[in-house]
Amino acid sequence: MKQLLELLGFLALVQGVMGLLHEFTDWRVGLVQRIGFLDGYGIYVSVALVVLAFALFAVAESRRSG
């Protein structure tokens, strides 16, 4: 379970950072900018993904191995 939480945290972190890169540099990377109903909320969703990633890392760290 710990490894799954770490994997999900890593994916959320990568997508959040890529969404922020898209918003600030206009690079066409990440999934956030490709989802239609999130149009106009890219920065908020990307920041939320980064915060979610750190929360997942914290939960994974508090769990025992195995």
Side-chain angles (χ1 to χ4, degrees):
M1 186 70 167
K2 181 178 179 178
Q3 291 176 342
L4 176 65
L5 290 171
E6 289 174 343
L7 175 68
L8 291 174
F10 176 74
L11 292 175
L13 182 66
V14 167
Q15 288 302 314
V17 169
M18 289 171 71
L20 289 173
L21 275 174
H22 168 72
E23 291 296 325
F24 292 120
T25 63
D26 262 352
W27 289 356
R28 301 203 41 89
V29 293
L31 292 176
V32 173
Q33 54 104 12
R34 298 184 198 281
I35 300 174
F37 67 88
L38 296 177
D39 193 28
Y41 298 103
I43 292 176
Y44 303 114
V45 173
S46 297
V47 169
L49 280 171
V50 171
V51 170
L52 174 67
F54 285 115
L56 286 170
F57 289 143
V59 170
E61 197 60 35
S62 69
R63 307 237 347 142
R64 289 179 287 173
S65 294

